[in-house]
């Protein structure tokens, strides 16, 4: 469990990485795990990252499409390619 000071809540390891990934279309998991230096389990980080990315990404796609906002190039593919 990791404290998320942005929302003062608890979330799975990797959840904040999903927000970063959706903003940058990069996959920060390896760099994060390198920086964590073995303090977190890869499986826990991957699950939190992939689940949050899929749910948040799908919500954003729905929001954009329901308002007639075009999806950024590659957004849908990025989200789908990282689904759990």
């Amino acid at each position: 469990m990791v404290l998320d000071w942005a929302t003062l809540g608890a979330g799975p390891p990797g959840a904040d990485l999903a927000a970063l990934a959706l903003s940058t279309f990069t996959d920060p998991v390896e760099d994060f795990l390198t920086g964590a230096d073995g303090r977190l389990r890869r499986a826990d980080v991957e699950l939190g990252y992939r689940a949050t990315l899929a749910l948040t990404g799908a919500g954003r796609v729905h929001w954009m499409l329901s308002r007639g906002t075009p999806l950024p190039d590659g957004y849908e593919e990025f989200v789908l390619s990282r689904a759990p």
Side-chain angles (χ1 to χ4, degrees):
M1 183 125 359
V2 176
L3 289 179
D4 182 349
W5 294 108
T7 60
L8 295 176
D16 281 342
L17 298 177
L20 176 62
L22 289 168
S23 298
T24 62
F25 294 148
T26 61
D27 196 334
V29 172
E30 289 304 318
D31 290 334
F32 178 79
L33 287 169
T34 299
D37 196 29
R39 290 184 294 272
L40 297 169
R41 289 179 354 131
R42 173 181 284 279
D44 293 340
V45 172
E46 287 271 346
L47 180 59
Y49 168 71
R50 291 183 181 282
T52 304
L53 193 139
L55 293 170
T56 302
R60 289 180 182 181
V61 166
H62 178 267
W63 183 87
M64 286 185 266
L65 293 177
S66 69
R67 284 157 180 75
T69 302
L71 297 175
D73 289 337
Y75 193 87
E76 185 177 6
E77 293 80 13
F78 183 80
V79 171
L80 291 173
S81 70
R82 282 150 181 85

